[in-house]
Amino acid sequence: MKSEARKAEAKKAIIIGVVCIVTYLVNYYLRHVLSVLTPQMLATKKFTATHIGTLSSTYMLFYAAGQLINGVLGDIFSPKRMAGAGILIAGVATILFPFLDGAAVQILCFAVLGFGLSMVRGPIMKIISENTRPDHARSICVFFSVAGFAGPLIASLFAMLGRWRLSFLLAGGVAVFAAVAAYLIFTGMEHKKLVAYKTSKGQGIGSVLSVFKIEKFGFYMVIACLVEISSISISFWIPTFLTDLQFSDRAANLIFSAVSVLRAMMPFVALMIFRATKGKEVLIMRVSFVTATVLFAGLLIAPNRWVSLVTLCLALMAMSCVSALLWSIYIPGLGKTGKVSSVNGILDCTGYVAASAANLLFAGVMSHVGWNVVYIIWASIGAVGIIATFFARQKEPVD
């Protein structure tokens, strides 16, 4: 009987995992469509780097604000409905963008896109952590992180169509289809009593504030800022970085795809190291931050574009290891608190506020000072991470 129960739990985890991973993959490639299409859009002379930077930062700010709001709401209302509605709204906004004229309405479209996508991650994490065993949840969330890093790869494939308007249209269409499919699948699982959700409805503001009492929450807020700057703001400018190194637009997209594949492997690496070190996540983070700092600084003396490319790739892989420890290890372990969506929302909000500010900073520095100062800023991000790890208490190794 126990064997049959375990098989049933494993089967349920697989279904939940596949639907959530695919849904999040859609979420993540929508985030990166603008980034990979930036070189094409700049070539049309209808867009400037400053305007595209504003679109990206607007998306980030509304995503961040939405995460704070929707993360809390995800612990109150149906996470299935919130995630489905979020992907649907984002898909429609992506479809409409190529047909909009005028800076103001384009900025508004990216505000809607950001808020729509903010409705997805927290509720999905809640579905996973509250309806699967801890070991299953951790494994799912490793693939969840892989989906996040693979998102840019999918986005770059859309960019290879060579027509930026068509790329936006198709990306949004796929998102709308995925939203409907995920909603129907989870509805069926609810009817079969395979999924259910804890709720904090009626618990008041104290329920939200209790999140800050969770172990290491303050430390991980700092980590969230650093990894989101790396995975969002730095990643956003990779295609531009590559074209400035005299790679063609097509080559830049191919290289960006390859870098995304390598970063997508890091959650597996992080999980293996985590198990090998018996849960010493703070030590792993410290080593990763040191590695990233040295490599980002190394861009200042890279002798040619290929060395620059490899150096940047390795630095981002080190930062991706830290990101995996946050999203795939720490948060999935909080299922018993019933606050997974709120925790996710607050951490993502904090990270995106930092990433939005960093994106504007990078654009300004890049335009007026040059890449060398940008490299110094990137190295300083890793340095802050090193310092932060010395203020975090390492729990006892797990057996």
Side-chain angles (χ1 to χ4, degrees):
M1 291 297 291
K2 289 184 177 180
S3 177
E4 292 180 1
R6 288 178 180 175
K7 289 181 180 178
E9 283 292 321
K11 181 179 179 180
K12 181 178 75 171
I14 290 173
I15 296 173
I16 291 174
V18 169
V19 176
C20 289
I21 290 166
V22 171
T23 302
Y24 191 60
L25 180 59
V26 172
N27 176 297
Y28 227 93
Y29 83 68
L30 286 179
R31 301 185 193 190
H32 290 274
V33 168
L34 178 63
S35 173
V36 298
L37 292 175
T38 290
Q40 292 182 36
M41 294 167 70
L42 290 175
T44 67
K45 305 301 182 182
K46 295 180 180 180
F47 297 89
T48 65
T50 300
H51 181 46
I52 290 179
T54 300
L55 292 177
S56 176
S57 293
T58 298
Y59 151 76
M60 291 180 189
L61 285 173
F62 276 83
Y63 182 91
Q67 278 287 7
L68 189 60
I69 297 169
N70 294 316
V72 175
L73 294 179
D75 283 323
I76 298 175
F77 301 111
S78 168
K80 171 199 71 175
R81 293 179 180 175
M82 290 195 65
I87 290 291
L88 182 64
I89 291 170
V92 172
T94 303
I95 291 171
L96 292 177
F97 176 75
F99 304 102
L100 300 176
D101 290 321
V105 71
Q106 289 173 346
I107 291 172
L108 176 61
C109 186
F110 268 79
V112 173
L113 174 66
F115 192 83
L117 291 182
S118 74
M119 300 171 67
V120 180
R121 185 182 176 100
I124 284 181
M125 290 292 287
K126 184 178 181 70
I127 293 172
I128 295 171
S129 63
E130 294 185 5
N131 291 281
T132 62
R133 290 170 41 184
D135 56 334
H136 291 159
R138 181 171 292 171
S139 297
I140 291 171
C141 287
V142 166
F143 285 97
F144 206 55
S145 294
V146 172
F149 291 118
L153 169 62
I154 304 299
S156 65
L157 294 178
F158 282 109
M160 288 180 188
L161 295 173
R163 298 170 62 186
W164 70 270
R165 286 189 174 88
L166 178 60
S167 297
F168 272 105
L169 182 62
L170 291 180
V174 172
V176 170
F177 175 80
V180 174
Y183 181 87
L184 293 176
I185 292 172
F186 281 128
T187 297
M189 295 186 74
E190 285 180 353
H191 289 328
K192 294 178 181 179
K193 308 296 182 183
L194 294 176
V195 296
Y197 321 107
K198 297 177 182 178
T199 179
S200 58
K201 184 180 294 186
Q203 295 182 19
I205 191 67
S207 175
V208 178
L209 296 179
S210 65
V211 168
F212 292 89
K213 298 179 181 179
I214 295 175
E215 184 182 9
K216 290 186 181 178
F217 187 78
F219 168 68
Y220 276 102
M221 285 185 70
V222 175
I223 298 302
C225 290
L226 301 177
V227 299
E228 291 302 282
I229 289 173
S230 169
S231 63
I232 300 170
S233 300
I234 296 179
S235 294
F236 180 86
W237 293 104
I238 290 178
T240 305
F241 168 84
L242 294 172
T243 54
D244 283 354
L245 289 178
Q246 305 305 312
F247 289 103
S248 67
D249 289 350
R250 185 172 182 81
N253 280 325
L254 288 171
I255 293 170
F256 188 57
S257 299
V259 172
S260 299
V261 170
L262 291 173
R263 295 181 72 188
M265 297 299 102
M266 294 313 296
F268 295 105
V269 175
L271 181 59
M272 288 189 293
I273 297 175
F274 179 80
R275 289 174 174 170
T277 60
K278 297 184 178 181
K280 294 183 178 180
E281 79 278 12
V282 174
L283 176 61
I284 299 171
M285 288 183 180
R286 187 175 301 152
V287 172
S288 298
F289 279 129
V290 169
T291 302
T293 301
V294 172
L295 289 168
F296 280 136
L299 289 169
L300 293 166
I301 58 174
N304 58 59
R305 64 178 183 173
W306 293 105
V307 174
S308 294
L309 172 60
V310 172
T311 302
L312 177 63
C313 181
L314 292 174
L316 292 174
M317 289 171 69
M319 293 296 289
S320 296
C321 183
V322 179
S323 180
L325 291 171
L326 168 61
W327 302 115
S328 300
I329 303 297
Y330 176 68
I331 293 181
L334 303 177
K336 292 182 180 180
T337 67
K339 306 294 182 184
V340 170
S341 184
S342 297
V343 169
N344 185 93
I346 293 171
L347 292 181
D348 229 356
C349 172
T350 304
Y352 261 78
V353 169
S356 179
N359 207 46
L360 289 174
L361 175 63
F362 297 161
V365 171
M366 201 179 304
S367 301
H368 299 98
V369 182
W371 279 100
N372 281 347
V373 178
V374 174
Y375 300 153
I376 294 173
I377 296 173
W378 289 356
S380 68
I381 293 169
V384 172
I386 297 171
I387 295 170
T389 60
F390 286 99
F391 290 89
R393 182 177 62 84
Q394 175 65 60
K395 64 183 179 181
E396 292 300 317
V398 296
D399 293 328

